[in-house]
Amino acid sequence: MRRARLVTAWTVVGAGVLTGCAAAGDLPLVAVHHGADGTPQVTLAPCGEDGVGAAELRAFPPGAAASGPGPDGPVTPGGPMSESWMAAGSRHSTGAASFPLFSPPASWAVRRWDGERRLLPGFRYTVRFRPPGSDAYAGVLAFTTEDLDGLAADEVWADGRAMSPAAFRRLVEDAC
């Protein structure tokens, strides 16, 4: 039974998140910031009562296109793309999920790849999620280490710019 759930979860991840399905609208529902201890944090803010059904973090080295995996899929750091993690979120939770960028919640079915577990200068990162059982929209954010390092203590990076957490909440409300 557990194996069947994992297969179903990975099917959702593979079909939804990794294909980059064009039917879904990309919305600015993701923010990153530094936590109190300095570690990078991410907030995924689904619309309404939606939860996070599938999510991923991708890292692209300098000069690599940030459009998706190459013909051979994800590769290790130094290649055209390095995938840090992808996960099937929890179908039973609703609302925003906040956690350290390189440590998705333990309750998620997470698949990790070898490689750096820290932000690297010059790399471009993307965080993407979809709600459970839907391809109506995807929450998406692209950022660099430099974007994150340029934030004030009371700011988050979302929608390509620095803003307050309250401005991010308004951005999510407007996007949804």
Side-chain angles (χ1 to χ4, degrees):
M1 181 67 134
R2 180 181 170 126
R3 184 179 180 109
R5 283 188 207 153
L6 283 174
V7 168
T8 300
W10 284 113
T11 301
V12 169
V13 169
V17 174
L18 296 180
T19 62
C21 179
D26 288 347
L27 301 177
L29 306 176
V30 180
V32 293
H33 65 94
H34 287 291
D37 63 356
T39 62
Q41 305 286 310
V42 63
T43 298
L44 311 178
C47 293
E49 295 297 313
D50 289 344
V52 175
E56 69 181 353
L57 169 67
R58 291 183 180 183
F60 300 89
S67 60
D72 298 322
V75 296
T76 57
M81 186 192 78
S82 169
E83 195 144 18
S84 295
W85 56 260
M86 73 176 178
S90 173
R91 293 186 175 275
H92 305 291
S93 65
T94 60
S98 295
F99 51 89
L101 185 62
F102 293 101
S103 299
S107 63
W108 291 10
V110 177
R111 181 174 175 189
R112 297 176 194 258
W113 281 266
D114 291 335
E116 297 290 339
R117 302 267 170 126
R118 62 185 176 93
L119 295 174
L120 300 171
F123 275 60
R124 181 154 199 80
Y125 296 87
T126 61
V127 178
R128 173 181 291 268
F129 78 89
R130 291 192 189 278
S134 173
D135 64 354
Y137 69 89
V140 179
L141 176 66
F143 68 97
T144 64
T145 302
E146 294 77 14
D147 295 332
L148 192 58
D149 288 345
L151 295 176
D154 60 346
E155 291 181 319
V156 301
W157 184 266
D159 197 28
R161 64 187 188 274
M163 63 183 68
S164 70
F168 174 64
R169 287 188 296 277
R170 286 190 301 274
L171 177 70
V172 169
E173 288 172 13
D174 291 346
C176 290

